[in-house]
Amino acid sequence: MVQDAELVKRLKKMAAFIRRDSIQMSLKAGCGHVGPGLSWTDICTVLFFHQLRIDPKNPDWLNRDRFILSKGHGCLPLYSALARKGFFPMEKLDTFCQLDSCLGGHPDCLAVPGVEISTGSLGHGLPIAIGMAIAAKSDNKKYRVITVMGDGELQEGTVWEAAMAAAHYRLDNLTGIIDCNKLEIDGPVKEVMNIEPLKDKWKSFGWYVEEMDGNDIEDILSTLERVFGYKEEKPRIIIAHTIKGKGVSFMENQVVWHYKAPDNDEARQAIREIDLALTKLK
Amino acid sequence: MSLNKLIATRDAFGEELVEIGKKNKNLVVLSADLAKSTRTIEFATVFPERFFNAGVAEQNMMGIAAGLSTSGFVPIVSTLAIFAAGRAYDQVRNTIAHSRLNVKIVATHSGVSMGKDGSSHQSIEDIALMRVIPHMVVISPADGPETKKALRSAIEYEGPVYMRLGRPELPVVTQHINSFNIGKADVLQEGTDVSIITCGIMVHQALKAAEILSSQNIRAGVINMHTIKPLDVEVIHQAARSTLVILTAEDHSIIGGLGSAVLETLSCANIRPPVYRIGVRDVFGESGSTDQLMKKYELTWENIVQAVHKILNRNN
Ligand SMILES: Cc1ncc(C[n+]2csc(CCOP(=O)(O)OP(=O)(O)O)c2C)c(N)n1
Ligand SMILES: [Mg+2]
């Protein structure tokens, strides 16, 4: 598919801005799940700045697409994207994880405009998405339901209970994206508790399965087009191959960056790398 | 261990687990992708063959522990309190407790004091959830040394135990107490005006409050109710007889926790002094530092002192 070069460039820039925000937020807060955030930042960018039909001026718009960050700990890019979309002022990002801030360590829908539902406990997103997808069908609404999960998260039994149910109800308006960065907290997913063969599992549960490079804007764009254009009455899952900590060399594939804030030097170095990537785009 | 060194209960747990594991070959440890946070990583490093990581699957982990216990293994199951008591509740209730299995659940990061991760990770209901289950023993140690003793007692005891630990580093307050008896509270300080019945992270706050009150000529007793179930009913009745008011303090909801347990005990007692509960007032927490959260949710020694002033004035 020939893609709009301008669109790709705009999204790549946005992804860099979001990465920069995430580093700055965690630096200021002295905490944050930086690696898990950087991992799905490109997916987040394509969703929020191209695919999702949402309206910051009307966050409760009935026909909006529903997005659920099932891996709620990865909320840094979500907050940045929502602010940059205009759901709340950019200054709020400076309050991440501070007392009295609406932007807590995990997303709270009662506090953050644009957050569809509170998450933080893993394995909740897919069941919720099923409920929303069934509701859309019952109400004859065209909106789509999208949830992003971690690969370690797939170890939760509820994910597979939901996998069964979504196929049973033939929820073709539901798309799951797995941020498959091959790492969880205690180490590589395949060493802690192997989840492979992933593609076969979802197929055998009755899902339409796609794979993509989840850190490649072009691939994300075209895969999402294909998935949303798919016609069969099946729920859709995308296995997004990603790198935890993507975009900051010393954080990439490093388990320690699951939950750790950069110090001043590390943040400076990270931002230098992100800015360098930005200048290459111009 | 030096006396003024701060130590987190989860650190003491991790250390002692290795010590106990050296002698007790039946000890097996399970984690759900949180071996580092719960400090079971130390046991995993020394005894990899007796460590099992279930991945992010708390319910499965509880079930596996239950199965292991039926063949004489003593499983120590550890994850954050919110997931141990919340996510896996049915396995804990209907399998582990119902069959009275010899499983020890060690739950870390309890209360709002766990800090920055915010309300989704702050377990303020686990004492309530666990103590309502028949057969379950519920322990909430006050400091590092007590955690070690409590862990040994929990392992010697035959049956299910829920042990509630925290993330913050705490001062040592039980150095002068050598034994740990499940169900037998420790009176850390005698009082005549008010009895503060407390547990876990609030014990050192209560001692500090008592010290301040003493300088104001108010004699406050401090009772470390390290076992919330079975509750030391005798010590509560004794406090009711010997002081004018009772104050409970816990990093837990005021609904269903230690405060409720004390009230239940006194509800049909002959002597029923007023009971004032310090705890999280039926709200979810939020992100912040431990100190900020303890202040905002009114869980500090200052709050205890203020509460004592308020009730004593009202009584006069
Ligand atoms: C039910 C539940 N159990 C445990 C946790 C603690 N926890 C937070 S992130 C995480 C690892 C998640 O790994 P993965 O799904 O691969 O996400 P990644 O950070 O790699 O994107 C765990 C165990 C949780 N949030 N919820
Ligand atoms: Mg992962």
Side-chain angles (χ1 to χ4, degrees), chain A residues 149-207:
Chain A
M149 296 171 277
D151 50 356
E153 181 179 5
L154 300 190
Q155 292 155 348
E156 284 289 357
T158 46
V159 173
W160 302 99
E161 295 171 27
M164 192 164 22
H168 178 82
Y169 293 121
R170 294 201 288 268
L171 297 175
D172 53 4
N173 53 351
L174 188 161
T175 299
I177 302 176
I178 304 164
D179 179 5
C180 204
N181 55 29
K182 321 302 183 278
L183 293 179
E184 51 188 311
I185 297 180
D186 283 345
V189 173
K190 69 169 187 292
E191 283 171 28
V192 175
M193 180 55 63
N194 189 23
I195 57 171
E196 294 293 344
L198 210 47
K199 201 171 171 179
D200 294 346
K201 281 197 177 79
W202 289 97
K203 270 204 174 134
S204 69
F205 271 77
W207 289 57

Side-chain angles (χ1 to χ4, degrees), chain A residues 29-31 33 97-101 104-106 108 119-124 152-153 155-158 184-187 192-193 255 259, chain B residues 31-37 41 51 53-60 83 87 116-121 286-289 292-293 296-297:
Chain A
C31 72
H33 290 88
C97 267
Q98 312 284 330
L99 196 75
D100 296 324
S101 169
H106 296 82
D108 179 348
T119 50
S121 186
L122 294 169
H124 288 211
E153 181 179 5
Q155 292 155 348
E156 284 289 357
T158 46
E184 51 188 311
I185 297 180
D186 283 345
V192 175
M193 180 55 63
V255 162
Y259 187 54
Chain B
S31 163
D33 196 30
L34 285 165
K36 283 171 214 152
S37 310
I41 186 81
F51 174 79
N53 202 329
V56 197
E58 297 77 11
Q59 301 173 74
N60 193 32
F83 307 125
R87 187 52 156 269
K116 296 254 181 183
D117 275 340
S119 53
S120 65
H121 283 54
E286 64 185 286
S287 292
S289 72
Q292 287 173 331
L293 291 164
K296 177 158 176 182
Y297 293 87

